[in-house]
Amino acid sequence: MRLPTLAALLTAALFTTAHAGPLIELSAEASRPAANDLLRASVFAETNGGNPAELARQINQDIGEALKLIRSYPAVTVKSGQQNTFPLYGQKQKLEGWRMRSELLLETKDAAAVSELLGKLQAMHLALGHFSQSPSPATRTAAEDAATRDAISAFHTRAGLIAEQFGKPYKINQLRVHQQGSFQPLVPMARAASLMQAADAVPMPIEAGESQVTTNISGQIELTD
């Protein structure tokens, strides 16, 4: 069997190019809101002193009491976070003591429960380290799907409008889909130290709000005869 020569291949490519209709690049996008129904927070116990064993005992006791409280809220899941011990140095880099810190990570879709819980944990002398609000995976996927349908529809509308102005039908040569979302990052709580001094278990104000999920459709259409 004879293989096609390079000249034949080039001739075929030129023939195809010559008969291709006008190529047009265009894009369209659509956005949908997604409820920030997933809340994540970190709380920590921290203490300083000269006896590491005594510090560990105190930290473990504080974390143990916090876990008892957290587990009384079925809607809130918890897992251990970072555990750190830092040396404290004074003048001339002389070791003067230790700082120990233990963290718990919370996750829930129940804003009322975590608001009340965080207030109680702060009253127990735990500090709030970080807090974030974002759409849960299922909520984000539903918003992405809806935005994608809207963006594809908008792309077809724009392509049809362009083709109509030229009086020709069109076909899609290529298509690219890009999705993005403006989600709230995990935010450090600058006032954590002052919150540790709270005397009463005051619920933490939470306003979940929404994030925007955007789908961008870009591609190339060819006007045909």
Side-chain angles (χ1 to χ4, degrees):
M1 180 178 68
R2 294 184 58 189
L3 296 175
T5 64
L6 178 59
L9 291 172
L10 288 174
T11 300
L14 289 172
F15 180 82
T16 301
T17 303
H19 286 76
L23 301 178
I24 300 173
E25 302 279 348
L26 68 150
S27 64
E29 72 174 33
S31 298
R32 283 293 187 100
N36 292 327
D37 58 350
L38 183 63
L39 300 97
R40 294 187 175 100
S42 70
V43 294
F44 63 90
E46 184 176 87
T47 188
N48 302 333
N51 186 332
E54 175 59 26
L55 294 180
R57 186 200 65 77
Q58 183 177 339
I59 287 288
N60 290 339
Q61 179 178 332
D62 291 344
I63 291 295
E65 291 299 318
L67 284 171
K68 289 180 184 178
L69 174 62
I70 295 168
R71 287 169 182 156
S72 69
Y73 286 79
V76 181
T77 61
V78 60
K79 63 181 180 180
S80 297
Q82 294 184 350
Q83 317 287 319
N84 302 110
T85 301
F86 306 98
L88 300 176
Y89 295 100
Q91 294 182 349
K92 299 182 179 180
Q93 292 300 301
K94 180 180 179 181
L95 181 64
E96 293 187 344
W98 301 88
R99 173 178 298 146
M100 190 168 292
R101 173 171 169 161
S102 182
E103 181 184 51
L104 294 173
L105 306 177
L106 313 179
E107 183 175 289
T108 186
K109 296 179 71 174
D110 190 331
V114 77
S115 172
E116 180 180 285
L117 176 59
L118 290 174
K120 291 181 178 179
L121 289 171
Q122 290 168 27
M124 293 170 60
H125 305 293
L126 270 73
L128 180 61
H130 298 85
F131 183 79
S132 71
Q133 302 169 161
S134 63
S136 64
T139 299
R140 182 173 63 248
T141 297
E144 287 175 348
D145 290 347
T148 299
R149 286 191 291 268
D150 291 346
I152 291 174
S153 177
F155 184 92
H156 277 297
T157 299
R158 186 163 297 175
L161 175 64
I162 293 171
E164 181 183 1
Q165 298 307 304
F166 286 95
K168 292 178 177 289
Y170 73 92
K171 67 177 183 179
I172 297 175
N173 275 357
Q174 56 180 308
L175 209 61
R176 294 176 294 276
V177 179
H178 176 70
Q179 291 175 324
Q180 61 186 15
S182 57
F183 306 130
Q184 185 185 70
L186 200 65
V187 180
M189 305 302 291
R191 299 181 60 223
S194 63
L195 291 174
M196 289 180 66
Q197 308 303 320
D200 300 315
V202 180
M204 173 180 165
I206 294 176
E207 181 60 45
E210 296 176 331
S211 295
Q212 287 295 315
V213 176
T214 301
T215 298
N216 179 274
I217 304 289
S218 61
Q220 184 185 79
I221 64 170
E222 177 186 341
L223 301 184
T224 61
D225 293 324

